[in-house]
C-alpha cells in the first residue's frame, strides 16, 4: 500500500503507471505529426508509480507528454516517484535551454509537493539533458537534494539503475536516421499550406515543370535534407543544402534542353539558369533552418552561417525567380 | 572551407577547476575529460554551446555563451545589415 496519506494537505500525489493506453499512442501520433504542438501536456506535480515508499527513488521530468511517457514506461516494475516540472508542454532538452526546466522551477516544485516529507533520502535523478537548465549545486544549497544526472535516454534507465553509473555511450547525444526521420512530418506540417499555394502558383505560371520544381524544393528541404544530412558534402548546412539543390535542379535543366529544342538559345539558357539559381538557394535556406532541429549545431556556428550565406542566397533566389518568371512568358 | 563550426565561445579556466567531473557528466558531446584531477577540453569543435557545463560548474571555471539564439533576428540582421533585434518569438 502507499504511504502518502500522512502528507500535508497541499501535496496531492497523483498516480500513474508504466502502461501506454490507446489515448497515449494517439497523443504521440498527433504530436509527431506536428499538430497542436503546445497541447501535449501532463499536469505538473508529484506522481507515484507503483507503490513507492520513503526510500523510493525520485525522477524528474518535463510536462511534455512524450517526455513523461518515455520516463514512466522505462520504469516498468519499479516503485518510484516522478516529479513533473511545468515546462509549458516542452521536452526536457528544449525546456532546459529556455530555463523552464530550470533551477527555480525545480526548487519551487520540490517545496510545493513537500518532497522533504515524502521521501527520507535526499536524492533526485534528472535526465542528463536537463542539465543546461539546472545548477545542481544550487539545488543542493537551497533544498538539500542532491542532483544525480541519469542517462540521456530514458530507455537506458533500467541498465543505469543497476549501479547508478552511465556508460560514455549513455551520455552521448547522436542524431541517427530514426531521429532525423521522425522530424519530417513536423517539417511538412509547418509548410504544407504555403507549399500548396506555391505549387499552385508554379503551375499557373509555368505549368507542370514549375509546379514540380516547387514540390522538389519543398520535399528536398524538408524530407531529403534531413535523411541525407550526414552524407551531403561540407559541414555547413547552407552548402549541404545548396549541393542537394543543385542535384535536384539538374533534371529540370536537362528537361529544358531535351524537351524544348525548338526554343531560342537565350530562352533555354534563361530558364536553365533560373532553375540553377532558384532551386539550390531555396533548398539551402530550408536546410539552414534545420540547424534548429539538430542536436549538435552551436549558436556561434549558425550565426556565422547566416551572416555568410543569407545575402548570396537571397540574391541568387531573386535572380533565379525573375529569370523563371520572365522566361515563362517570353517565347 | 564551408565549415562555420570550427570556433565557439567555450572557455575553460583550469586554474579554477576543482575536478568535480560534473562537466564530463553533463556534456552530451564528450567535449571534456579529466586528467590529473582537472577538467580538460578534448573535443573543442564538438561543443554546441548548450551551457550545461557552465551552469553546473560550481567553481565558475567554465564560460560559454549559450541559448538557442533567435534565427529570424539573425537572418534579418544579416539581410539588412542592421543590429540584431530579437523578435520575442523565442
Amino acid at each position: 500500500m502507499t504511504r502518502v496519506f500522512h502528507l500535508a494537505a497541499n501535496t496531492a500525489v497523483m498516480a500513474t503507471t508504466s502502461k501506454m493506453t490507446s489515448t497515449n499512442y494517439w497523443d504521440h501520433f498527433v504530436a509527431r505529426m506536428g499538430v497542436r504542438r503546445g497541447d501535449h501536456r501532463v499536469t505538473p506535480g508529484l506522481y507515484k508509480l507503483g507503490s513507492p515508499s520513503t526510500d523510493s527513488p525520485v525522477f524528474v521530468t518535463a510536462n511534455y507528454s512524450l517526455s513523461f511517457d518515455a520516463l514512466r514506461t522505462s520504469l516498468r516494475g519499479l516503485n518510484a516517484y516522478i516529479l513533473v516540472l511545468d515546462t509549458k508542454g516542452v521536452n526536457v532538452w528544449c525546456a532546459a535551454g529556455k530555463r523552464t526546466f530550470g533551477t527555480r522551477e525545480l526548487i519551487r516544485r520540490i517545496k510545493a509537493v513537500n518532497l522533504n516529507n515524502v521521501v527520507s533520502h535526499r536524492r533526485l535523478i534528472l535526465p542528463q539533458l536537463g542539465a543546461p537548465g539546472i545548477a545542481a549545486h544550487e539545488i543542493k544549497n537551497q533544498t538539500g537534494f542532491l542532483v544525480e544526472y541519469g542517462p540521456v535516454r530514458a530507455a537506458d534507465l533500467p541498465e543505469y539503475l543497476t549501479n547508478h553509473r552511465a556508460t560514455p555511450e549513455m551520455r552521448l547525444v547522436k542524431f541517427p536516421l530514426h531521429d532525423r526521420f521522425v522530424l519530417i512530418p513536423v517539417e511538412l506540417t509547418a509548410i504544407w499550406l504555403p507549399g500548396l499555394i506555391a505549387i499552385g502558383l508554379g503551375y499557373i505560371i509555368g505549368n507542370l515543370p514549375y509546379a514540380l520544381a516547387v514540390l522538389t524544393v519543398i520535399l528536398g528541404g524538408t524530407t531529403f535534407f534531413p535523411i541525407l544530412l550526414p552524407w551531403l558534402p561540407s559541414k555547413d548546412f547552407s552548402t549541404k543544402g545548396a549541393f542537394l539543390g543543385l542535384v535536384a535542379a539538374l533534371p529540370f535543366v536537362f528537361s529544358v534542353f531535351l524537351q524544348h529544342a525548338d526554343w531560342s538559345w537565350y530562352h533555354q539558357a534563361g530558364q536553365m539558369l533560373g532553375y540553377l539559381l532558384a532551386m539550390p538557394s531555396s533548398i539551402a535556406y530550408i536546410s539552414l533552418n534545420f540547424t534548429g532541429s539538430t542536436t549538435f549545431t552551436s549558436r556561434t556556428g549558425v550565426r556565422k552561417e547566416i551572416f555568410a550565406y543569407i545575402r548570396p542566397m537571397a540574391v541568387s533566389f531573386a535572380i533565379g525567380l525573375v529569370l523563371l518568371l520572365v522566361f515563362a512568358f517570353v517565347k | 572551407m564551408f565549415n562555420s563550426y570550427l570556433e565557439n565561445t567555450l572557455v575553460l579556466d583550469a586554474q579554477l577547476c576543482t575536478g568535480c567531473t560534473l562537466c564530463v557528466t553533463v556534456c552530451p558531446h564528450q567535449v571534456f575529460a579529466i586528467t590529473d584531477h582537472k577538467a580538460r577540453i578534448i573535443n573543442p569543435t564538438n561543443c554546441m554551446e548548450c551551457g550545461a557545463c557552465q551552469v553546473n560548474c560550481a567553481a565558475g571555471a567554465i564560460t560559454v555563451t549559450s541559448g538557442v539564439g533567435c534565427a529570424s533576428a539573425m537572418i534579418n540582421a544579416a539581410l539588412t545589415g542592421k543590429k540584431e533585434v530579437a523578435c520575442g518569438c523565442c
Side-chain angles (χ1 to χ4, degrees), chain A residues 98-112:
Chain A
K98 292 169 189 278
R99 309 292 189 262
T100 47
F101 189 97
T103 307
R104 200 182 301 170
E105 163 68 4
L106 179 53
I107 292 169
R108 202 177 70 84
R109 200 58 64 179
I110 288 169
K111 290 179 176 162

Side-chain angles (χ1 to χ4, degrees), chain A residues 177 180 184 188 215-232 244 248 283 287:
Chain A
L177 183 62
R180 303 196 302 276
I184 293 169
L188 282 173
L215 181 68
T216 303
V217 165
I218 293 168
L219 291 181
T222 60
T223 305
F224 285 90
F225 183 80
I227 292 173
L228 298 173
L229 178 63
W231 302 291
L232 291 168
L244 179 65
I283 292 185
S287 306

Side-chain angles (χ1 to χ4, degrees), chain A residues 7-302:
Chain A
L7 302 179
N10 63 341
T11 57
V13 180
M14 295 167 273
T16 186
T17 68
S18 290
K19 286 200 189 80
M20 285 283 288
T21 64
S22 50
T23 315
N24 296 143
Y25 284 118
W26 175 248
D27 169 64
H28 286 208
F29 175 76
V30 175
R32 291 296 191 190
M33 288 298 118
V35 177
R36 293 186 285 110
R37 294 195 64 190
D39 288 356
H40 306 277
R41 303 186 186 205
V42 291
T43 308
L46 189 64
Y47 289 79
K48 61 186 172 82
L49 182 75
S51 309
S53 69
T54 52
D55 300 327
S56 297
V58 181
F59 297 87
V60 183
T61 190
N63 80 323
Y64 180 45
S65 57
L66 270 68
S67 306
F68 180 69
D69 293 346
L71 176 61
R72 65 186 181 84
T73 54
S74 298
L75 300 176
R76 199 175 302 271
L78 216 71
N79 297 314
Y81 286 104
I82 297 176
L83 185 62
V84 177
L85 304 189
D86 186 2
T87 60
K88 320 289 175 203
V90 172
N91 70 73
V92 170
W93 206 10
C94 290
K98 292 169 189 278
R99 309 292 189 262
T100 47
F101 189 97
T103 307
R104 200 182 301 170
E105 163 68 4
L106 179 53
I107 292 169
R108 202 177 70 84
R109 200 58 64 179
I110 288 169
K111 290 179 176 162
V113 303
N114 242 323
L115 200 58
N116 283 317
N117 299 334
V118 178
V119 290
S120 54
H121 62 82
R122 291 292 175 262
R123 189 176 280 269
L124 303 169
I125 301 176
L126 269 67
Q128 185 190 327
L129 294 185
I134 306 282
H137 51 280
E138 285 284 318
I139 304 296
K140 173 86 177 144
N141 283 345
Q142 298 201 30
T143 68
F145 277 91
L146 185 76
V147 169
E148 176 182 320
Y149 288 111
V152 165
R153 287 162 291 271
D156 287 329
L157 273 171
E159 193 190 333
Y160 172 83
L161 290 171
T162 58
N163 59 2
H164 289 253
R165 294 174 92 105
T167 61
E169 189 68 16
M170 287 183 202
R171 297 241 168 265
L172 211 53
V173 169
K174 292 177 183 166
F175 201 33
L177 183 62
H178 168 269
D179 292 7
R180 303 196 302 276
F181 197 81
V182 296
L183 297 175
I184 293 169
V186 181
E187 299 277 314
L188 282 173
T189 303
I191 62 158
W192 72 270
L193 188 58
L196 278 183
I197 292 170
I199 291 170
L201 284 174
Y203 189 80
I204 292 166
I205 296 163
N207 295 325
L208 198 57
Y210 280 16
L212 281 176
V214 179
L215 181 68
T216 303
V217 165
I218 293 168
L219 291 181
T222 60
T223 305
F224 285 90
F225 183 80
I227 292 173
L228 298 173
L229 178 63
W231 302 291
L232 291 168
S234 78
K235 283 280 180 196
D236 284 343
F237 282 53
S238 312
T239 46
K240 279 173 182 284
F243 177 84
L244 179 65
L246 199 62
V247 173
L250 289 180
F252 293 89
V253 171
F254 285 120
S255 87
V256 171
F257 188 69
L258 295 173
Q259 298 199 321
H260 302 288
D262 53 320
W263 287 359
S264 65
W265 70 268
Y266 62 84
H267 187 190
Q268 284 187 345
Q271 227 178 57
M272 285 179 187
L273 198 59
Y275 285 126
L276 285 173
L277 288 174
M279 291 180 72
S281 57
S282 41
I283 292 185
Y285 181 77
I286 302 173
S287 306
L288 174 57
N289 275 283
F290 191 69
T291 53
S293 305
T294 70
T295 59
F296 55 87
T297 50
S298 67
R299 181 165 72 160
T300 301
V302 172

